[in-house]
Amino acid sequence: MSLDNIRIVLVNTSHPGNIGAVARAMKNMCVSDLALVSPKKFPHDEATWRASNATDVLDSAKVFETLEEAIADCGLVIGTSARGRRIPWPLLDPRNCAKQAYGEASKHKVALVFGREDRGLTNEELQLCNLHVNIPANEEYSSLNLAMAVQVLCYELRMTALDGQLSSNPLEEWDQPPATADALARYIVHLEETLTELGFLRADAPKQLMTRLQRLYTRARPDEMEVNILRGILTATQYQIRQQKLATDERN
Amino acid sequence: MSLDNIRIVLVNTSHPGNIGAVARAMKNMCVSDLALVSPKKFPHDEATWRASNATDVLDSAKVFETLEEAIADCGLVIGTSARGRRIPWPLLDPRNCAKQAYGEASKHKVALVFGREDRGLTNEELQLCNLHVNIPANEEYSSLNLAMAVQVLCYELRMTALDGQLSSNPLEEWDQPPATADALARYIVHLEETLTELGFLRADAPKQLMTRLQRLYTRARPDEMEVNILRGILTATQYQIRQQKLATDERN
């Protein structure tokens, strides 16, 4: 399912640059329906410039005189709110907001409403919203830039839309298969043999060193190619040691 | 636990405005350690202006010549990366990145490294990072503004830090206790009585209407004060009906 039914509504924005930055943030997260309620300056070069290559979102933005008109066709309206408003309202965090908005967007239009840069939405505007959402920012410095707030909520929508498609395996896109346990075990044997030939590992010394090296390589989970490289290094090392030994033997 | 051990590292930033916007985004999310690797212009008025009231983060920012110096004391280094780099690397999404970074930040410094506005981090810089993180943006328009990317990752860190402290109950901060089931049931009885007196509800009609009204009010979960207000409306309505009835009776 897409985010086509999600509408970002900006009320009475002062700085056109913020409108452009919002368009870019939306497009980055696959949200494209932008409504502007009485923007102070729009269209404006600063908006176009800050939109970077998201001018398509700006170009298709609709301008309304009132918030009521901008949300008229929406089945769910969620307003962004600071904490501690006088009249409490059902309040979501951005993650639960995204779940609710995305869940309902399969059935009807959902508006996310953002207020003015300096003082947000009025109480009257907040009362037009079914739910409120609050970004749990630093209590001593809680006011996000407008486009940043849009970015955070659109990012959460995108994460919700991608739920189940994102891999939780950090090695998902690895280009080589992991080395098998057997290949790793053979490497460790080869390593021990080489370190013994090097005189680095004494046969009579405690096994602590090999235990640590085994832990290191097991944890690192080398892939097949990496184990081949590591074994190549050991073979080259052994060759040098043996050549050196031959040379020394010849001299004596 | 705080986010004091999280360091944001910006490499070779071109626009000082972005550095300011990053400082604001960090402070909004309670992150304060900012390191700048060879910024093109810093300090700069544009940075100070865009930082809004987060100039303390800017003022305490440390400037380094190389990425190696900026991350020298860090136990975990995570680099931001576009998808599809030539050499795959363990890759996290922002949520798992935050969990890993926050988990380790109780023990040592953790760096999140962000590259240049136009081309991110070089392969050499990415190879200095233990892990990579990718924001799963629109595949056809994936490049976030630098400060937006910092905002998203710092937001995820803040959400991780607040885990368990955020209420999933949207009515958490309600100022009134919810009406009890009994108070709601008595309201429904009162409503039915009043609607009957109004002649709106016929005693012989199907009960569908009351079922729908009961569903509406049960779903809305009115609080104590709201039920009192609703009952007050019914009482006033009944008073009017009865006065009207008295006047009519007297006239007849």
Side-chain angles (χ1 to χ4, degrees), chain B residues 204-220:
Chain B
D204 57 343
K207 288 290 194 179
Q208 181 77 357
L209 182 71
M210 284 316 297
T211 303
R212 287 189 172 271
L213 286 167
Q214 178 162 15
R215 188 178 67 172
L216 168 66
Y217 286 108
T218 308
R219 201 172 74 234

Side-chain angles (χ1 to χ4, degrees), chain B residues 126-141:
Chain B
L126 282 167
Q127 299 212 27
L128 296 174
C129 303
N130 306 105
L131 297 168
H132 294 169
V133 58
N134 172 265
I135 297 175
N138 185 346
E139 275 149 36
E140 284 153 28
Y141 185 68

Side-chain angles (χ1 to χ4, degrees), chain B residues 54-109:
Chain B
T55 41
D56 50 334
V57 174
L58 273 194
D59 292 343
S60 60
K62 291 184 194 72
V63 178
F64 298 91
E65 284 198 16
T66 66
L67 175 56
E68 285 88 338
E69 292 169 89
I71 60 176
D73 58 342
C74 294
L76 173 66
V77 180
I78 304 178
T80 51
S81 166
R83 293 203 158 237
R85 289 274 179 179
R86 214 172 47 89
I87 304 173
W89 211 262
L91 186 67
L92 304 170
D93 67 43
R95 193 152 303 159
N96 286 315
C97 168
K99 282 183 193 148
Q100 177 115 24
Y102 185 74
E104 296 203 22
S106 63
K107 298 195 173 173
H108 46 245
K109 298 248 178 239

Side-chain angles (χ1 to χ4, degrees), chain A residues 19-31:
Chain A
I19 298 175
V22 163
R24 177 172 178 182
M26 288 170 60
K27 187 166 178 181
N28 280 147
M29 297 295 138
C30 301
V31 177

Side-chain angles (χ1 to χ4, degrees), chain A residues 24-78:
Chain A
R24 177 172 178 182
M26 288 170 60
K27 187 166 178 181
N28 280 147
M29 297 295 138
C30 301
V31 177
S32 57
D33 183 356
L34 175 60
L36 305 171
V37 177
S38 295
K40 296 266 170 75
K41 299 173 190 166
F42 185 83
H44 194 281
D45 284 350
E46 177 83 3
T48 308
W49 180 70
R50 287 283 294 282
S52 196
N53 288 314
T55 41
D56 52 333
V57 175
L58 273 194
D59 292 343
S60 62
K62 292 184 193 70
V63 178
F64 298 91
E65 284 199 15
T66 66
L67 176 56
E68 285 88 339
E69 293 168 87
I71 60 176
D73 58 341
C74 295
L76 172 65
V77 180
I78 304 179

Side-chain angles (χ1 to χ4, degrees), chain B residues 4 34-35 40 46 65 96 110 174 252:
Chain B
D4 289 349
L34 176 60
K40 294 265 171 72
E46 177 81 3
E65 284 198 16
N96 286 315
V110 175
W174 214 252
N252 294 345

Side-chain angles (χ1 to χ4, degrees), chain A residues 83 136 138 155-156 158 173, chain B residues 83 136 155-156 158 173:
Chain A
R83 291 203 160 238
N138 185 345
Y155 160 76
E156 280 287 8
R158 171 91 177 145
E173 298 192 353
Chain B
R83 293 203 158 237
Y155 159 76
E156 280 287 7
R158 171 90 178 144
E173 297 192 352

